[in-house]
Amino acid sequence: MTDSLDIVGQSVTRLELEDKVLGVTRYTADLKRPGMLYAKILRSPHPHARIVAIDTSAAEKAPGVHAVLTHHDVSSFAIEGDLLVLDARLRFVGDEVAAVAAESPAAAADALELIRVEYEPLPPVFDCGAALAPGAPELHPGGNLVDGRRLVVERGDTEGAFPTAFRVFEGVFHTAAHGPVGMETRSALAEWDDDRLTVHKTSRSLHAHDRKILSNALGIPLEHVRVICTSMGGGFGNKDEGRLGPLAAFLARKAGRPVRLEYSRMEEFIAGRNRQAMVSRLKIGVAEDGAPVAIEMRSEMNAGAHVASGRNVTRRIGQGALYLYACPNARFEGASVYTNHPAGGSFRGLGAPAGHFALEVLMDQVAAGMGLDPLEYRLRFHVGPEGQPGRRTTPPGEAIPDEPVEGGVPFSSHGLRECLLSGAERIGWRERRQPNGSATGPSRRGLGVAMGIYKGGVGREAQAEIHVDRRGRVEVRVGVVDVGQGSSTILAQIAAEALQLPLDFITMVMADTAHTPPGHITAGSSTTFSSGHAVKQAADTVRNRLRERAAATLGVSDVSLSGGVFTAQGREGAALTFHQLCAALPEPVIEQVTLTPGSTDRVINSFSAHFAEVEVEMDTGRIRILRYVAAQDAGRIVNPRLAEGQVTGAVLQFLGIALREELLMDPTSGVTLNPSFLEHKNTAIVDFPPVEVLFASQPEPLAPFGAKGLGEPPVVPVYAAVANAVANATGVWLHEAPFTPKRVLQAIAQQGADRP
Amino acid sequence: MKPFAYHQPGEAAEAGRLLETHGGQARLIAGGSDLLGELKDGIVHYGQLISLSRVKGLDQIHQGASGLRLGAMVILARMEGDPLLSGPYRMLAEAARGVATPEIRNQGTLGGNLCQRPRCLHYRSPWVSCLKKGGSGCPAMESGHQHYLSVMGAGDCRAVNPSDLAPPLVALAGVAIIDGASGSRSLPLTDFFAGPDQIAGRDNALRPGELLVAVELPPMPENWRGTYLKARERTAGDFALISAAFGCRIEEGRIEQARLVLGGASAGPMRCPEAEALLEGQAPSAETAARAAEAAFADASPLPHNGFKLDLGRALVSRAISQITSSTG
């Protein structure tokens, strides 16, 4: 690896910043086409029902209406295993019944009211226990337990180990459903040119999902589908692959005109993909010195009507329990359960924040029970660079999973300890933290710590192309979507560094299936690591080819490249600018790379250690975050300002989720009662603390320029850091989130404010 | 949103006549910050909207011999900074400043604030039927989400008036000035709002064809001071879970003319005569404040899932009393 880096490590201004600040950036819902129609969706008033009959004749005749779509008009292609384009079976209040395209949004909305639907209401089921009980109404063939089984992963033998434990600690932890609320609502614009389809769409996966789904659903060849998402107003892993694109495309085909479908905020809350409620039962057995000897977590996620990527969400609840503390025996059992709640799906961190909430709060209870300071406890027992005890189970030569279970595999880089120490120093843990917080009085202050472990970004097949033409234009083509996190800037920095060219020589081409090689989904904090790898490798090759050509042109054996100028080695004064060299190219230089980065003998993960200082009003249950320090190990930081923004945004987002945000479901009707910013309590700026961000210093040896994933890891410890600070302040353990005044007062009433 | 006819009468009496003519189909619109949301969300529908924007003289704040008169069309942003809202009336400016967001305060009016509809989540959901919307049952009673419901009273509908201005106006002994097709009348604000055992269909005492045109406040002693505190889940852009307006004067170290009004506790703003009596003539202390707070909620009848509002309410009352009695006199 290069020791002196010019562009990687610099806080260059993000590429699209000026356009965004000036309001020039056009998001999907800003796009218009001549003759474009506006689509609206008729949504189910029932939590569970079957469409017996549907009469669209009046709607079709309504003024300005050009197409009405029902389940009779679409293919029977399953977008996902359990999701059709439209379905005669409705599974939540707000489920898609029919769609209308008309000349104005108002005309479309009026036409919805003219659609006559005869529903046969079916018995609904809303909670996991009831959904799994014998005789429960089945939402999908095969029952309500997704895949018909609980996922079980285990290292060692927990059953054998618990009886040997000195003490066993247990707790049940709940997290609520909430809306991810990207500022841009879901939107798609579909237009046909003969049998060729172009769809602009809010997306995180044009190549890997949307294009394939559209091709299959509409019955046209993949090459006839172009999907574009050049600007996204908030991704957070949540702009899913559901019905949006196919509905717009079917309507446009039926109407013979371009159609744009844009969700309202209410629809976004009800029919977007939410983070669903989870419950985890956690059991930790420790030895006499406090060392964990067995950790067992059993979790359930209320997946709602469709599971989408929910299996992965559930799996990741368990990763902290399996891997954050050195422990020979660990077991995770997870169930995803269908109910008549709105569908869940992916969202930043998947199940990890909920799982770490349980793990890190119960670990504080362990430390308290064993008479150890929570920071000291973690410093002593966190998983070390050598990894978990036990034996490797991945066959030799195969890639080590990014959510490992096995022991015997060391980490490739490991900055957890550094994060704990630097964060503790910054917040003043050793000087300022008292065992009982500020102890007495109506307002009490306390400090809390929590750690996090998360995927480092490996495991996705990534592709990149670099084109250098005779005008000296350098195009870096990558199929992934910059969902707003700044990956176009990061990949441009990686390309410029590897090419040894100034950043403004680089043109990024992303998120358009017509002009990019296949790209992976923007998920799992993988873009910097995986696509970055592909970009770097392509750029390394291009750089070497250009240098060879420059050396040949200059008639020397080697050249150096700096600032866009090739300088001959060993021949004073001989130089060639990059543009001179390009002008003489016989043909464009093109390099295409496909790879799946990772390691066959190392775990590559990102780490966090977060510290919160809170004040709790004992009489009102109000929690105020006074200060927050987030220390992250993401290897080398490609762009410190963007990285700091990632971490600050992550922490603020999850402070809101931990303290206030919750989708309130009516228990009898299944209605989402608060689908608005007013009543889904997204935090206002006055309630946010300053966030101090620290980064560990160790580059990841196997990553492009040493950079690991950072998009999701900083959300992981937030619930627990706050809950542990509250416990330090009040002596009360919070096991149920969000920590609203109601829940805090209930916890105080139940556990007693034993300090006067 | 469904179509509606839009009227802009020039006189209050004409507005009243239009209301009478169109009955249940008609609704007054002032700033519209609540009504338009309801119409757009499909919670209510009115075929006739009667705007008050052209009715003259409703947007004045006027100091006369009989006290202070606040027109129903005065916007909240003006109340935040009006010089007449000082001294005893400063609590009104304080309450106005705490409403929603600057955008809403530039649009929302005093009359609209007092006549706004409840925040009950079930009332606000277009997907569920409820008593207040003319339905036959109350789904909120079966739900765990009762934080916007009352903790007092026994009516079939436990929705509350969410106004932040109502509790301080009641504490200041405000009088509702009502005009309409059949002439004008006045009514103490305590009688204007629905009581604890409300009928779901009625938020206030306005009769068909009537409108609220002003609130009059009788003169208050120069050294009377009040404050308005509310508990919310977030500090800005949020409705109160429960609130307390408290005011008094301190004469020779004793509390006089104590007024305590709760918001969000009962269907409308609720005066607490027992707590007031308990404070009258007492030397201020934390214990006195705590006893008054206990007394204010002595008759509480919380629902299964909103008992926590009693804790919040007691804390607010204690704080409001301590704040005023320590800064006054």
Side-chain angles (χ1 to χ4, degrees):
Chain A
M1 185 178 305
T2 340
D3 281 319
S4 65
L5 298 173
D6 296 322
I7 299 165
V8 163
Q10 300 298 312
S11 291
V12 304
T13 302
R14 58 192 296 161
L15 303 179
E16 76 288 7
L17 184 73
E18 189 172 319
D19 281 353
K20 282 186 173 166
V21 170
L22 294 176
V24 173
T25 302
R26 283 153 68 80
Y27 298 90
T28 305
D30 296 324
L31 303 174
K32 282 190 179 164
R33 294 289 180 272
M36 185 184 85
L37 303 174
Y38 299 82
K40 293 278 179 195
I41 293 175
L42 181 68
R43 298 192 173 279
S44 172
H46 300 287
H48 197 186
R50 196 174 63 83
I51 300 173
V52 178
I54 185 161
D55 176 2
T56 59
S57 53
E60 278 159 25
K61 285 184 213 120
V65 172
H66 289 258
V68 181
L69 206 65
T70 72
H71 61 278
H72 297 301
D73 304 306
V74 298
S75 59
S76 58
F77 167 71
I79 297 169
E80 291 146 10
D82 61 12
L83 182 72
L84 302 176
V85 177
L86 283 174
D87 196 337
R89 183 86 169 273
L90 305 167
R91 296 180 178 85
F92 66 95
V93 177
D95 206 349
E96 289 81 14
V97 175
V100 170
E103 286 165 20
S104 72
D110 287 348
L112 293 183
E113 298 191 14
L114 301 174
I115 299 175
R116 297 276 160 265
V117 189
E118 187 189 328
Y119 297 102
E120 178 199 344
L122 302 171
V125 62
F126 299 117
D127 66 72
C128 295
L132 295 178
E138 286 194 359
L139 269 76
H140 296 278
N144 297 330
L145 181 60
V146 172
D147 298 331
R149 62 183 185 88
R150 290 166 191 272
L151 172 82
V152 176
V153 279
E154 181 161 24
R155 175 177 68 252
D157 172 18
T158 46
E159 205 183 331
F162 273 113
T164 71
F166 173 69
R167 276 185 73 180
V168 175
F169 295 80
E170 291 183 77
V172 184
F173 294 81
H174 296 264
T175 52
H178 63 85
V181 298
M183 284 307 292
E184 177 190 31
T185 60
R186 283 164 168 76
S187 191
L189 165 61
E191 49 191 327
W192 290 87
D193 178 6
D194 197 12
D195 65 343
R196 289 173 179 271
L197 173 66
T198 300
V199 174
H200 287 79
K201 178 180 176 291
T202 48
S203 175
R204 60 189 184 118
S205 183
L206 306 174
H207 288 277
H209 289 88
D210 288 319
R211 196 180 191 204
K212 291 177 186 164
I213 288 167
L214 287 163
S215 159
N216 286 320
L218 278 300
I220 52 173
L222 198 65
E223 313 81 71
H224 287 198
V225 183
R226 179 181 179 193
V227 190
I228 307 165
C229 179
T230 41
S231 296
M232 266 255 283
F236 311 119
N238 185 248
K239 292 286 164 57
D240 65 82
E241 47 284 353
R243 288 172 167 160
L244 189 71
L247 286 180
F250 273 108
L251 280 171
R253 185 153 78 180
K254 199 169 176 189
R257 285 165 70 162
V259 170
R260 197 181 76 200
L261 171 58
E262 180 189 357
Y263 276 18
S264 68
R265 182 57 62 185
M266 186 193 260
E267 286 179 300
E268 189 72 17
F269 273 113
I270 291 172
R273 291 296 172 92
N274 298 315
R275 165 60 65 246
Q276 286 294 10
M278 299 172 190
V279 55
S280 292
R281 291 168 177 81
L282 180 62
K283 197 167 140 186
I284 300 171
V286 297
E288 205 163 348
D289 66 350
V293 295
I295 301 176
E296 183 191 66
M297 181 181 265
R298 295 163 192 260
S299 304
E300 271 174 6
M301 180 187 68
N302 184 330
H306 303 281
V307 74
S309 45
R311 295 171 182 87
N312 302 335
V313 175
T314 302
R315 168 64 180 85
R316 213 157 303 168
I317 300 173
Q319 192 56 29
L322 288 168
Y323 233 70
L324 186 55
Y325 289 85
C327 183
N329 308 291
R331 183 175 186 277
F332 172 69
E333 183 181 309
S336 312
V337 184
Y338 287 125
T339 69
N340 292 107
H341 278 175
S346 286
F347 170 60
R348 204 172 191 177
L350 304 191
H356 279 72
F357 169 42
L359 177 70
E360 284 295 83
V361 170
L362 196 60
M363 278 301 184
D364 253 37
Q365 295 183 242
V366 169
M370 303 302 288
L372 294 167
D373 173 87
L375 175 66
E376 294 309 324
Y377 185 87
R378 286 176 174 80
L379 285 169
R380 209 182 291 177
F381 299 119
H382 71 67
V383 65
E386 70 287 356
Q388 292 290 349
R391 285 223 316 273
R392 172 176 174 145
T393 53
T394 300
E398 279 188 23
I400 299 294
D402 54 3
E403 293 178 307
V405 180
E406 66 209 296
V409 185
F411 289 95
S412 179
S413 62
H414 183 280
L416 179 56
R417 191 174 192 83
E418 187 184 345
C419 288
L420 277 172
L421 293 172
S422 65
E425 189 184 340
R426 174 63 74 90
I427 204 147
W429 184 276
R430 291 181 204 279
E431 311 86 81
R432 297 173 56 234
R433 186 182 186 275
Q434 304 298 322
N436 291 320
S438 64
T440 59
S443 281
R444 301 180 186 179
R445 292 186 174 196
L447 290 178
V449 59
M451 305 187 295
I453 186 168
Y454 205 80
K455 304 162 63 133
V458 304
R460 294 192 192 279
E461 185 181 278
Q463 291 180 292
E465 260 174 46
I466 297 184
H467 292 234
V468 181
D469 70 12
R470 295 177 62 178
R471 292 169 301 154
R473 182 178 167 89
V474 183
E475 272 191 12
V476 178
R477 302 181 185 178
V478 190
V480 298
V481 182
D482 183 338
V483 297
Q485 84 277 43
S487 58
S488 58
T489 308
I490 298 297
L491 296 176
Q493 283 181 266
I494 288 172
E497 186 70 55
L499 288 165
Q500 293 174 6
L501 290 174
L503 186 67
D504 59 8
F505 280 33
I506 310 293
T507 300
M508 294 302 298
V509 177
M510 289 175 72
D512 180 342
T513 58
H515 297 300
T516 58
H520 56 83
I521 183 171
T522 302
S525 305
S526 56
T527 301
T528 299
F529 197 114
S530 296
S531 282
H533 243 303
V535 167
K536 180 172 185 296
Q537 193 170 310
D540 283 342
T541 305
V542 169
R543 181 197 65 231
N544 289 338
R545 284 166 63 185
L546 294 174
R547 277 174 57 164
E548 280 165 23
R549 178 164 286 278
T553 308
L554 290 169
V556 293
S557 59
D558 196 12
V559 293
S560 66
L561 173 55
S562 172
V565 178
F566 298 92
T567 307
Q569 298 289 292
R571 218 183 86 204
E572 199 67 17
L576 187 65
T577 70
F578 173 73
H579 287 91
Q580 286 168 336
L581 178 80
C582 291
L585 286 173
E587 59 195 19
V589 175
I590 298 174
E591 177 63 19
Q592 206 269 348
V593 166
T594 302
L595 48 76
T596 304
S599 168
T600 54
D601 56 8
R602 294 277 189 276
V603 175
I604 301 171
N605 275 182
S606 292
F607 296 95
S608 321
H610 288 195
F611 296 80
E613 181 169 9
V614 305
E615 182 177 76
V616 184
E617 287 180 3
M618 298 301 283
D619 52 355
T620 65
R622 180 170 183 243
I623 299 170
R624 215 150 60 87
I625 314 293
L626 303 175
R627 207 177 153 195
Y628 200 98
V629 175
Q632 295 296 140
D633 167 29
R636 188 190 303 282
I637 300 304
V638 178
N639 184 318
R641 188 164 54 206
L642 276 180
E644 226 175 273
Q646 275 272 35
V647 178
T648 303
V651 169
L652 296 185
Q653 185 174 37
F654 271 71
L655 283 176
I657 291 164
L659 292 175
R660 296 179 185 83
E661 292 173 32
E662 181 172 10
L663 281 168
L664 305 174
M665 312 302 299
D666 185 52
T668 46
S669 64
V671 164
T672 304
L673 289 171
N674 59 336
S676 72
F677 279 134
L678 184 58
E679 299 302 355
H680 180 273
K681 307 287 183 184
N682 293 86
T683 303
I685 193 71
V686 290
D687 288 315
F688 279 140
V691 178
E692 297 160 62
V693 181
L694 304 171
F695 291 110
S697 56
Q698 192 188 115
E700 161 56 50
L702 300 175
F705 295 112
K708 292 191 280 193
L710 184 62
E712 295 167 278
V715 309
V716 171
V718 180
Y719 279 117
V722 173
N724 288 341
V726 169
N728 177 234
T730 65
V732 170
W733 299 102
L734 299 175
H735 283 199
E736 218 175 302
F739 313 136
T740 54
K742 179 180 174 180
R743 290 199 179 89
V744 174
L745 287 170
Q746 270 168 0
I748 290 172
Q750 282 161 11
Q751 297 173 39
D754 52 352
R755 303 175 211 150
Chain B
M1 198 185 329
K2 291 177 185 163
F4 52 79
Y6 189 64
H7 307 271
Q8 292 178 288
E11 303 285 340
E14 194 193 338
R17 275 192 297 279
L18 284 164
L19 280 174
E20 203 165 41
T21 307
H22 296 291
Q25 266 302 297
R27 185 79 178 167
L28 291 176
I29 178 163
S33 57
D34 188 28
L35 180 61
L36 290 177
E38 283 191 297
L39 292 171
K40 282 185 183 171
D41 290 347
I43 296 160
V44 294
H45 173 64
Y46 299 102
Q48 313 286 328
L49 292 193
I50 300 155
S51 166
L52 294 178
S53 58
R54 290 194 183 161
V55 178
K56 303 235 171 1
L58 296 189
D59 59 351
Q60 304 295 311
I61 299 179
H62 176 72
Q63 174 78 65
S66 59
L68 194 64
R69 183 181 166 107
L70 303 161
M73 290 294 282
V74 170
I75 61 166
L76 304 182
R78 174 156 174 220
M79 292 181 66
E80 290 179 59
D82 196 284
L84 288 173
L85 298 186
S86 59
Y89 305 116
R90 212 177 69 91
M91 68 192 300
L92 277 178
E94 235 177 68
R97 204 169 297 136
V99 173
T101 59
E103 295 89 333
I104 300 283
R105 299 199 291 273
N106 280 326
Q107 187 68 20
T109 63
L110 169 63
N113 185 273
L114 295 177
C115 296
Q116 65 185 302
R117 310 304 310 276
R119 300 309 313 176
C120 168
L121 294 167
H122 291 81
Y123 170 73
R124 292 276 165 178
S125 172
W127 308 89
V128 293
S129 148
C130 84
L131 292 172
K132 210 162 201 55
K133 289 183 284 194
S136 57
C138 173
M141 294 297 180
E142 308 300 317
S143 154
H145 313 303
Q146 300 174 329
H147 46 285
Y148 288 135
L149 302 185
S150 69
V151 291
M152 309 272 193
D156 289 344
C157 173
R158 299 286 294 258
V160 303
N161 182 307
S163 168
D164 280 330
L165 297 177
L169 286 170
V170 169
L172 290 162
V175 175
I177 308 300
I178 294 166
D179 207 341
S182 47
S184 60
R185 64 179 177 123
S186 63
L187 195 63
L189 274 180
T190 42
D191 300 330
F192 178 78
F193 295 101
D197 304 321
Q198 66 175 322
I199 302 157
R202 270 183 90 178
D203 293 354
N204 54 47
L206 289 173
R207 299 175 191 141
E210 284 190 336
L211 55 145
L212 178 70
V213 293
V215 173
E216 281 186 0
L217 302 173
M220 292 296 280
E222 223 1 83
N223 61 344
W224 194 93
R225 287 290 180 277
T227 190
Y228 175 69
L229 300 180
K230 55 181 172 176
R232 292 176 285 185
E233 287 184 37
R234 66 181 162 211
T235 309
D238 204 5
F239 282 93
L241 295 163
I242 193 162
S243 63
F246 174 76
C248 70
R249 60 200 159 82
I250 304 291
E251 299 289 354
E252 294 169 0
R254 306 272 159 193
I255 297 170
E256 303 282 345
Q257 213 176 345
R259 300 263 175 80
L260 177 64
V261 184
L262 302 177
S266 179
M270 196 188 76
R271 260 188 89 165
C272 307
E274 291 82 8
E276 291 173 3
L278 200 148
L279 290 166
E280 209 65 30
Q282 297 295 308
S285 71
E287 293 69 38
T288 312
R291 277 199 293 132
E294 281 301 321
F297 291 93
D299 295 332
S301 50
L303 296 166
H305 300 284
N306 73 1
F308 75 103
K309 286 176 63 165
L310 303 182
D311 292 334
L312 296 180
R314 288 189 200 102
L316 293 180
V317 170
S318 290
R319 265 179 229 180
I321 294 172
S322 299
Q323 191 178 313
I324 288 301
T325 54
S326 63
S327 67
T328 316

